[in-house]
Amino acid sequence: EVQLVESGGALVQPGGSLRLSCAASGFTVYDNYMSWVRHTPGKGLEWVSLIYNGDSAHYTDSVRGRFSVSRDTSKNTMYLQMSALRVEDTAIYYCVRDLNVWGQGTLVTVSS
Amino acid sequence: EIVMTQSPATLSVSPGERATLSCRASQSLSSNLAWFQQKPGQAPRLLIYDASARATGIPARFSGSESGTEFTLTISSLQSEDFAIYYCQQYNNWPRTFGQGTKVEIK
């Protein structure tokens, strides 16, 4: 069964760091376009980043330079390293394969 | 950055009626547009990709169309399970961008 499971969400203070994980089963993360998308009730869905063709990656402007996406082929897992976190980064973070396979999400709360 | 503008923000529809949702792109997308449905507490679900292709398992009452930079999602006869928020997303340019969503509520 094709499945994505996120983990790593937590409460963190502004300026702090956090690493999210996305464990895949039923397919290989390295061979697919893998994205992070976040959701807040007020702003809706926001595309965050995508990794493809090895280690090529793109980011939305608001996280570029602060967030970094990577993949570990031995663990079949994608990561999102987040640093210099801001209150506005508070959201549920989903990992996505292509467009059609979504995880259940992990909650990141940035607050003092 | 391509700006995606959805309208209306809220659509009130009775069960069994047709719903028409719009999404306008600030630039040409070459049909690289998807529609998603999201219900409270759930991850989004892909409905339509490439502007008009239904994703696997999506009922035929959902259809997508395009005219230039205007895209439309039509739900031909609303069922109770269709009341949700719908988002369009372009994947033609970086960064990929979503519209702000249309909430379809029971009239």
Side-chain angles (χ1 to χ4, degrees):
Chain A
E1 180 189 6
V2 172
Q3 191 175 15
L4 294 167
V5 178
E6 301 96 334
S7 61
L11 171 63
V12 60
Q13 291 189 337
S17 297
L18 202 60
R19 189 179 79 160
L20 305 183
S21 300
C22 170
S25 56
F27 72 98
T28 304
V29 294
Y30 194 81
D31 294 334
N32 287 269
Y33 280 48
M34 298 294 298
S35 300
W36 289 97
V37 174
R38 62 189 181 186
H39 176 257
T40 58
K43 293 176 63 177
L45 295 175
E46 181 180 25
W47 179 86
V48 174
S49 70
L50 182 148
I51 188 167
Y52 67 110
N53 291 351
D55 293 327
S56 299
H58 288 272
Y59 301 89
T60 194
D61 289 348
S62 64
V63 310
R64 190 175 296 112
R66 301 187 299 122
F67 290 13
S68 178
V69 62
S70 62
R71 295 185 283 201
D72 184 331
T73 54
S74 67
K75 297 181 179 179
N76 206 28
T77 297
M78 177 177 67
Y79 302 98
L80 185 67
Q81 179 67 48
M82 305 185 292
S83 61
L85 281 162
R86 306 168 180 168
V87 170
E88 54 265 34
D89 294 320
T90 295
I92 296 174
Y93 284 72
Y94 295 99
C95 65
V96 190
R97 185 196 80 170
D98 295 327
L99 298 171
N100 63 330
V101 181
W102 292 66
Q104 84 290 349
T106 188
L107 176 62
V108 173
T109 304
V110 184
S111 174
S112 55
Chain B
E1 172 175 312
I2 295 179
V3 177
M4 307 299 295
T5 304
Q6 291 187 242
S7 61
T10 303
L11 186 62
S12 297
V13 185
S14 299
E17 290 187 339
R18 172 186 295 256
T20 302
L21 290 66
S22 296
C23 174
R24 175 182 296 174
S26 60
Q27 300 176 31
S28 173
L29 300 182
S30 300
S31 301
N32 292 316
L33 180 115
W35 288 95
F36 297 89
Q37 176 194 69
Q38 188 176 29
K39 298 179 181 179
Q42 296 185 17
R45 177 174 71 145
L46 176 68
L47 301 174
I48 301 288
Y49 64 95
D50 294 348
S52 61
R54 264 190 307 277
T56 302
I58 301 303
R61 64 180 182 273
F62 291 93
S63 63
S65 62
E66 66 176 303
S67 176
T69 58
E70 296 272 353
F71 298 84
T72 301
L73 175 69
T74 301
I75 312 171
S76 60
S77 177
L78 269 159
Q79 306 298 302
S80 57
E81 61 267 30
D82 300 335
F83 293 97
I85 299 177
Y86 293 82
Y87 296 92
C88 60
Q89 185 211 27
Q90 66 83 18
Y91 48 95
N92 193 62
N93 284 46
W94 305 106
R96 296 183 174 182
T97 45
F98 285 92
Q100 78 279 20
T102 291
K103 181 180 181 180
V104 177
E105 63 177 25
I106 300 174
K107 186 174 183 181

